[in-house]
Amino acid sequence: MITAPTASKADEVTRVLMSGNEAVARGAVEAGVLVAVGYPGTPSTEILESIANRDDIDVRWSPNEKVALDVGLGASLGGVRALVTMKHVGLNVAADTFMTAAYTGVGAGLVVISADDPGMHSSQNEQDNRAYARMAAVPLLEPSDSAEAKAYTALAFEISETFDTPVLVRTTTRVSHNRGLVELAERLDRPVLGFTKNPAKYVMIPGNARRRRPVVLKRLDDMRDYVEESPLTEAFGSGTDFGVITSGIAHHYVREVLPDARILKLGMSYPLPMERIRRFADSVDRLFVVEELDPYVENDLRAAGIDVEGKSLFPQIGELSPDVVRAGFAEAGLVSKGIPIVAAPSTVTRPPLMCPGCPHTPPFLALKRLGAVVTGDIGCYTLAALEPLSSMDTCVAMGSSIGMAVGMAASGGADGPVVATIGDSTFLHSGVAALADAVYAHANITVLILDNGTTAMTGGQEHPGTGVTLQGTAATPVDLVAMCTAVGVKDVKVIDPYDLAATYGALGDAISHAGPSVVITNRPCVEAPMKVRDTPFTVLAEACTACQACMTPGCPSIVWSDELFEGRRKVVIDPITCTGCTLCVQLCPPRAIVLVNTAEVSHA
Amino acid sequence: MPEGSRGLLLAGVGGQGVILASMIVADALMRAGHDVKQSEVHGMAQRGGSVFSHIRWGERVDSPLVPLGSAEVLAAFEWAEAVRWVEYVRDGGAVVADIRTIVPPGACTDRRSWLRRYPGIDGELFDSRHLKTRLIDATATATDLGNVRAANSVILGTVAAFIDIDDVHWEAAIADLVPAGTEKINLAAFRAGRQVAEARVPDAAQDPDGFSGPHEIEIRHDWCKGCDICSRVCPEYCLAVDVDGKLTIVDPEACTGCRLCEILCPDFAIDIHAPRELAVVGTNTTNESSA
Ligand SMILES: Cc1ncc(C[n+]2csc(CCOP(=O)(O)OP(=O)(O)O)c2C)c(N)n1
Ligand code: SF4
Ligand code: SF4
């Protein structure tokens, strides 16, 4: 029935280095998955990308996570194993389907990957998605490295089919983006089971849902029995002085700091193997729980009357690390504090920047000059909130910009024109309904759609507007102008953002238009799908008056030189990174910025 | 700690190829029979941010993260990144640092002192911690060999001296992982890195004396017709035309005296006056930077 995670000893097995993401994908491949679908989001993106070239799996990007889960559920009901991937906040978007998919159960195995990001390396929050498993009464697996990422994903399909439930697999950045050794196995050949009509199970009208609810709870009890015996719960070490309960990456940090400690590692952390935990707790004098983010296991143990130490020693905020775990155990009196660390000398900070020639830069320069109140969104353009553009006033969740602009305009409290800024991928993810609302409310706002033809922030993925699929086939691209017009926006304009005067003009006009207006930029991202590299520019030092006008957009190619003019620094352009966008040229009053090849001629 | 579980850190700036280099290191260690874990963070780092990768190896590796103060080697592809990550190196460990400097625009924002905030290159900076510091000019070495893009392999060659595995594993990993067609040059670069000479640290470029106190902006309101040219051109956002079409100074402190508004005003309505102390400054002695 359910097979244990593989721990093959055969010499001839292929051992390869794989990231956690590649390993998740590999686990799905070996489990015979036929549909893999998701929406990009760090740290989950590479899962689907790593198997995009397989012709035996349908691998796709959806416009958002809810659609992805709907596609996955549909495929599962159609009788094929389906993998659905997203970052942690993506599950908020997909939560509506997720909660009720727990009621419908599955056809063939359905596994949802939630890649959490403790420490918020590239996210807007650090929510702990283990809570979703409990809310939906869905089993939760937490792999701790690449080998387990593969094994657990494969096993999750078995669990899904055995218990007729979607399964949630939660990774974290240090699992997703960690490379470790993985042993490869053969791909299972799974037939398409076909869809069996069963309205009582798949049509969740109240009458049917009421009958499914007890099934969900009964299933939870069955899974409790399973997890008590499951090899997913592993014991390590010896001793009775103390014991540690771990899950996910925290397990390895504990082993690093206390190599011989008694550990009960929870591979499946919902539902919990409460009897095993109780026996473990009874066999030690002190019990610790080390888990990243929320006191999720800890609170359950307390509720079960088990005495435990956890968040009083290990922080609830941010990532754990060997150093953080050591500090916690030092406070508990179990280890020394470790060697004192000599702080590094001070160095330069390197906040992320928009690329040289990024087409998002000029419109934000214009919005700053126009004194707009800018409700922003999530993507590369969010960097406009930072110095020196400092021209974005809000950023909350994907697609929030337009609805928030409608509300901001309704409040009457903005001291400038209200402009929502949103990327093309984000607009198709969750901006369209909000634009309909702007029309419906006749909101006096301007929506700036920054159409760079890709999902840039996450590395340049295709989306329904790009006309290409993840597997490289052609698709019909969504026509953004037609879409905005169809929704009912009267004033829709397309501009070339590299033309600074036109960008100013168009945004100024749109702002003065009563009611909702849309401005769409049309230059591609300089990094994806193709690298845009035009002839670079250079600064004629003798003509530069060091006014700093070209520095206002914050192009990373422009830095100070060693020369001064009237006590101010002149500038130089790095010819290797300059993409030749002409923005600085348009800003330079003394016309000191010229194409590199003309400069060579004039110096000759 | 599992017996012999050791650590190495690679650090650089987005776009420098830190991730590929660390995949090569991890692969070489795996070929040498070690358990290996390698961990990095993608995401915002791709946009010119600092990129770093932890590698751990040994009989059995638990944490993919190197504990502070325990790495055998820090390999930095850029000078400021060597400075940033040095606290991960154990006392007596090694720092291999490219003397290449990548100054971000954020280091060029102090429009009073006009000093760049970038640490000066200093081979003795880590001496108090008894670190073996190797400063190399990987870019120059790779350029001599015929391809700047092989600079990372030069660095790996220098790093190899501090890791006890056979060169065949390094060379197999490089040949396997570098882009097709560049195997030969990268292998040559790796071998060159094995015996690359200590870089001659360029003389710290003397920062020119710069200073601009806030200048005084004088507006002749009866000549101004509120055309808005000056406020649009001011790089410091000092000026604004209000709803009545009247020019106002919104941020007088920010004026650096570039005089763009004065020069471009069609009605000669603006005069910029240098502050008196400017006559005597120009004797700036602090020098934080040498980029
Ligand atoms: C719900 C959710 N899903 C995914 C992400 C990850 N993510 C951040 S920005 C972004 C897309 C950005 O694309 P686009 O709007 O086209 O802007 P660009 O980066 O191309 O400028 C994604 C998918 C997220 N933050 N939240
Ligand atoms: S990746 Fe593309 S969209 Fe993102 S900052 Fe660079 S040019 Fe702009
Ligand atoms: S043309 Fe100017 S603004 Fe554009 S990338 Fe080059 S230096 Fe930067």
Side-chain angles (χ1 to χ4, degrees):
Chain A
M1 196 183 76
I2 293 179
T3 46
T6 43
S8 161
K9 278 167 243 86
D11 279 348
E12 66 282 13
V13 290
T14 337
R15 284 166 95 226
V16 291
L17 271 172
M18 270 192 171
S19 71
N21 280 340
E22 290 164 338
V24 163
R26 180 68 202 182
V29 168
E30 290 178 7
V33 112
L34 286 179
V35 171
V37 57
Y39 182 71
T42 315
S44 72
T45 313
E46 302 83 7
I47 299 173
L48 295 190
E49 290 180 331
S50 73
I51 50 171
N53 60 2
R54 292 191 71 105
D55 52 16
D56 53 352
I57 304 178
D58 193 340
V59 191
R60 320 168 163 208
W61 291 131
S62 285
N64 69 31
E65 292 86 350
K66 174 168 191 310
V67 175
L69 183 51
D70 290 334
V71 171
L73 181 59
S76 157
L77 298 195
V80 304
R81 288 189 165 183
L83 176 76
V84 184
T85 71
M86 59 195 65
K87 71 181 290 172
H88 60 330
V89 285
L91 196 49
N92 301 339
V93 179
D96 205 3
T97 300
F98 188 70
M99 292 298 149
T100 306
Y103 283 44
T104 62
V106 301
L110 174 64
V111 174
V112 179
I113 309 290
S114 162
D116 290 14
D117 186 16
M120 297 175 267
H121 293 287
S122 31
S123 303
Q124 63 268 38
N125 76 19
E126 62 172 2
Q127 67 188 44
D128 187 333
N129 271 12
R130 293 180 298 174
Y132 271 114
R134 181 187 290 128
M135 195 172 8
V138 155
L140 169 69
L141 304 187
E142 287 191 77
S144 69
D145 59 19
S146 296
E148 287 182 0
K150 195 203 87 164
Y152 285 20
T153 305
L155 180 62
F157 284 98
E158 301 291 331
I159 295 175
S160 171
E161 287 170 6
T162 305
F163 294 101
D164 189 14
T165 174
V167 176
L168 185 62
V169 176
R170 181 225 194 197
T171 61
T172 54
T173 302
R174 291 293 168 193
V175 175
S176 314
H177 287 171
N178 166 53
R179 264 178 214 90
L181 294 174
V182 175
E183 291 173 4
L184 303 186
E186 295 293 311
R187 171 164 162 84
L188 285 180
D189 195 10
R190 307 272 313 175
V192 180
L193 302 175
F195 176 55
T196 313
K197 291 193 187 195
N198 187 350
K201 186 165 182 274
Y202 298 140
V203 183
M204 285 303 98
I205 50 175
N208 291 339
R210 267 182 227 121
R211 279 190 289 274
R212 289 296 297 172
R213 176 79 174 130
V215 176
V216 172
L217 293 186
K218 162 76 173 52
R219 185 176 70 201
L220 201 54
D221 280 336
D222 295 345
M223 290 188 299
R224 283 198 177 97
D225 294 341
Y226 163 72
V227 70
E228 292 292 350
E229 304 303 323
S230 167
L232 285 164
T233 313
E234 293 176 81
F236 295 84
S238 57
T240 57
D241 291 351
F242 70 94
V244 190
I245 293 176
T246 63
S247 69
I249 189 73
H251 173 71
H252 294 291
Y253 299 151
V254 173
R255 292 266 282 172
E256 185 77 34
V257 176
L258 298 165
D260 304 317
R262 251 198 71 213
I263 295 175
L264 191 65
K265 174 180 179 295
L266 309 175
M268 181 157 165
S269 47
Y270 191 79
L272 287 172
M274 207 48 102
E275 288 316 310
R276 269 192 85 173
I277 291 175
R278 211 179 282 283
R279 286 200 301 273
F280 185 75
D282 288 345
S283 70
V284 292
D285 298 338
R286 273 175 97 177
L287 182 65
F288 299 91
V289 173
V290 184
E291 54 189 327
E292 229 163 18
L293 297 182
D294 293 345
Y296 172 84
V297 175
E298 182 181 347
N299 286 352
D300 270 11
L301 298 202
R302 282 186 205 284
I306 298 171
D307 207 13
V308 58
E309 296 168 77
K311 290 297 160 189
S312 56
L313 300 167
F314 308 98
Q316 187 169 355
I317 298 174
E319 272 195 303
L320 296 180
S321 70
D323 302 302
V324 171
V325 169
R326 171 174 287 276
F329 282 123
E331 203 176 316
L334 295 186
V335 288
S336 69
K337 278 217 165 58
I339 37 167
I341 299 303
V342 185
S346 77
T347 184
V348 64
T349 55
R350 268 187 220 285
L353 302 163
M354 283 196 261
C355 300
C358 176
H360 295 333
T361 304
F364 282 98
L365 202 57
L367 291 177
K368 183 168 187 176
R369 293 284 182 191
L370 290 164
V373 172
V374 177
T375 56
D377 225 301
I378 305 191
C380 282
Y381 48 95
T382 312
L383 297 170
L386 307 180
E387 294 275 343
L389 286 171
S390 316
S391 49
M392 184 180 288
D393 301 303
T394 69
C395 164
V396 181
M398 279 191 74
S400 294
S401 58
I402 301 177
M404 287 182 68
V406 171
M408 185 71 77
S411 78
D415 61 356
V418 179
V419 179
T421 60
I422 186 167
D424 46 345
S425 188
T426 306
F427 181 68
L428 293 171
H429 176 280
S430 45
V432 182
L435 186 64
D437 186 49
V439 173
Y440 189 40
H442 195 66
N444 197 16
I445 63 167
T446 296
V447 176
L448 172 64
I449 303 178
L450 299 145
D451 182 8
N452 60 357
T454 189
T455 316
M457 183 82 250
T458 44
Q461 289 74 31
E462 302 73 15
H463 61 66
T466 62
V468 186
T469 70
L470 173 54
Q471 294 194 296
T473 53
T476 308
V478 172
D479 179 340
L480 292 183
V481 175
M483 187 178 231
C484 296
T485 312
V487 162
V489 181
K490 297 274 184 302
D491 184 18
V492 183
K493 237 177 294 169
V494 178
I495 58 161
D496 175 2
Y498 282 180
D499 183 340
L500 193 54
T503 301
Y504 266 78
L507 282 168
D509 287 352
I511 281 167
S512 58
H513 176 102
S517 53
V518 170
V519 176
I520 304 175
T521 63
N522 70 357
R523 283 273 176 179
C525 165
V526 300
E527 285 297 309
M530 276 180 302
K531 289 204 187 287
V532 177
R533 296 293 182 268
D534 274 332
T535 313
F537 285 87
T538 190
V539 180
L540 298 173
E542 62 275 22
C544 174
T545 61
C547 71
Q548 314 293 307
C550 61
M551 297 287 273
T552 52
C555 171
S557 297
I558 312 181
V559 291
W560 282 342
S561 81
D562 291 336
E563 278 185 62
L564 293 186
F565 180 84
E566 293 181 350
R568 298 181 304 274
R569 288 256 194 192
K570 295 188 185 183
V571 302
V572 283
I573 293 176
D574 174 7
I576 311 274
T577 56
C578 169
T579 61
C581 77
T582 77
L583 178 60
C584 58
V585 182
Q586 296 173 59
L587 288 165
C588 177
R591 296 175 198 269
I593 302 177
V594 298
L595 285 168
V596 280
N597 37 21
T598 48
E600 276 148 25
V601 172
S602 74
H603 279 299
Chain B
M1 206 175 295
E3 218 65 79
S5 194
R6 288 181 287 163
L8 173 149
L9 230 75
L10 281 104
V13 177
Q16 277 196 299
V18 172
I19 307 301
L20 176 61
S22 53
M23 285 168 71
I24 290 172
V25 178
D27 196 57
L29 289 162
M30 178 190 77
R31 285 168 193 269
H34 290 288
D35 186 17
V36 185
K37 284 183 179 171
Q38 178 257 323
S39 174
E40 79 243 358
V41 171
H42 304 233
M44 299 295 246
Q46 289 163 338
R47 308 276 166 273
S50 161
V51 181
F52 59 95
S53 166
H54 292 235
I55 297 169
R56 304 218 56 221
W57 73 98
E59 220 167 283
R60 196 202 77 231
V61 176
D62 270 305
S63 168
L65 294 182
V66 178
L68 283 165
S70 80
E72 300 297 318
V73 194
L74 163 64
F77 294 25
E78 198 269 356
W79 174 249
E81 298 307 310
V83 178
R84 188 185 322 282
W85 300 105
V86 73
E87 59 187 3
Y88 277 91
V89 185
R90 68 172 172 84
D91 283 346
V95 178
V96 174
D98 195 334
I99 56 164
R100 180 163 179 204
T101 62
I102 300 178
V103 179
C108 306
T109 54
D110 183 348
R111 295 181 189 175
R112 285 285 169 261
S113 76
W114 299 91
L115 286 175
R116 275 179 291 228
R117 284 184 297 269
Y118 189 92
I121 298 181
D122 176 2
E124 287 158 24
L125 192 59
F126 315 129
D127 279 4
S128 65
R129 301 211 26 226
H130 310 292
L131 303 186
K132 303 185 227 16
T133 309
R134 297 270 283 137
L135 296 187
I136 61 171
D137 189 346
T139 312
T141 307
T143 310
D144 288 348
L145 289 168
N147 190 344
V148 274
R149 312 200 59 178
N152 291 357
S153 295
V154 176
I155 297 174
L156 292 184
T158 312
V159 166
F162 300 98
I163 299 178
D164 187 22
I165 61 169
D166 205 282
D167 269 6
V168 295
H169 304 306
W170 283 106
E171 301 199 353
I174 291 173
D176 229 32
L177 289 169
V178 296
T182 68
E183 295 89 347
K184 258 177 102 176
I185 173 94
N186 278 293
L187 286 172
F190 175 78
R191 285 170 204 144
R194 272 288 207 183
Q195 46 231 345
V196 70
E198 196 73 18
R200 205 185 64 80
V201 177
D203 293 335
Q206 209 51 40
D207 258 314
D209 299 334
F211 177 82
S212 61
H215 285 52
E216 194 197 321
I217 307 166
E218 186 196 350
I219 302 171
R220 287 192 206 90
H221 285 288
D222 42 345
W223 291 16
C224 169
K225 60 180 185 292
C227 72
D228 207 14
I229 289 175
C230 56
S231 84
R232 283 182 180 226
V233 84
C234 175
E236 315 303 330
Y237 303 90
C238 296
L239 304 168
V241 174
D242 68 17
V243 278
D244 306 321
K246 183 169 180 271
L247 182 62
T248 56
I249 304 168
V250 288
D251 191 356
E253 289 294 303
C255 175
T256 62
C258 77
R259 290 194 277 110
L260 284 185
C261 55
E262 182 186 275
I263 295 162
L264 293 173
C265 175
D267 301 290
F268 309 104
I270 304 181
D271 273 333
I272 299 296
H273 302 288
R276 256 196 215 120
E277 68 265 31
L278 267 195
V280 289
V281 236
T283 49
N284 201 336
T285 47
T286 35
N287 184 356
E288 291 180 47
S289 90
S290 58

